[in-house]
Amino acid sequence: EGCTIYGLPPVGLDVIAFDVEGDPYPYYDYDGDGDFRNDCPYDNLVVNGVKYCGTSGPAGVVPSDGTMTWVSDEFVTESGWKVCWPPSALPSPPPPSASPSPPPPSASPSPLPPSASPSPPPPSASPSPPPASVSPSPPPPSASPSPPPPSASPSPP
């Protein structure tokens, strides 16, 4: 496994800590380039094409291409590494502006294109008037029996 770190500034690296798996057989030339001192076959940090392992990190090395690559076989674990660069190597933030920026123009609705016709307004969302108050109806006249019709009794002689 591994990863590459991009965008390193062109300044000498400061090695704070460096302890990764080293070369167990420093006399054996793993990569076959004739130099047994540059192999680092398992875990290594690569800067400018040079592999660093064990306890020797890239102190003072200037990453000419702005990259560092870490490679690890994940088997033997040591305490790791911490490599930094001086804060002066970082780009400075832009200075604050002397005067505040004017507020952006307010957004005004753009006119409709000539071919577009305005849509009808939506139905009114205002509430309908409350129903007229309903008062209870007066009670119907009492249904008392009508007075009896005049008696149909014969009138006295």
Side-chain angles (χ1 to χ4, degrees):
E1 295 225 14
C3 68
T4 299
I5 302 167
Y6 297 92
L8 300 177
V11 296
L13 297 173
D14 186 11
V15 176
I16 308 301
F18 202 91
D19 186 9
V20 301
E21 184 178 8
D23 184 350
Y25 305 106
Y27 50 84
Y28 184 77
D29 184 16
Y30 292 95
D31 60 8
D33 70 352
D35 186 355
F36 60 87
R37 296 168 295 167
N38 69 351
D39 290 335
C40 302
Y42 305 110
D43 294 349
N44 57 71
L45 183 66
V46 181
V47 182
N48 298 337
V50 177
K51 294 178 185 177
Y52 296 88
C53 65
T55 56
S56 299
V61 175
V62 176
S64 59
D65 64 355
T67 67
M68 260 189 330
T69 301
W70 168 247
V71 178
S72 175
D73 66 357
E74 302 179 2
F75 291 112
V76 175
T77 304
E78 301 296 345
S79 60
W81 55 271
K82 181 175 181 177
V83 176
C84 301
W85 50 89
S88 62
L90 298 175
S92 301
S97 65
S99 63
S101 303
S106 62
S108 59
S110 56
L112 293 173
S115 63
S117 60
S119 20
S124 171
S126 63
S128 46
S133 69
V134 177
S135 57
S137 307
S142 73
S144 58
S146 0
S151 113
S153 59
S155 39

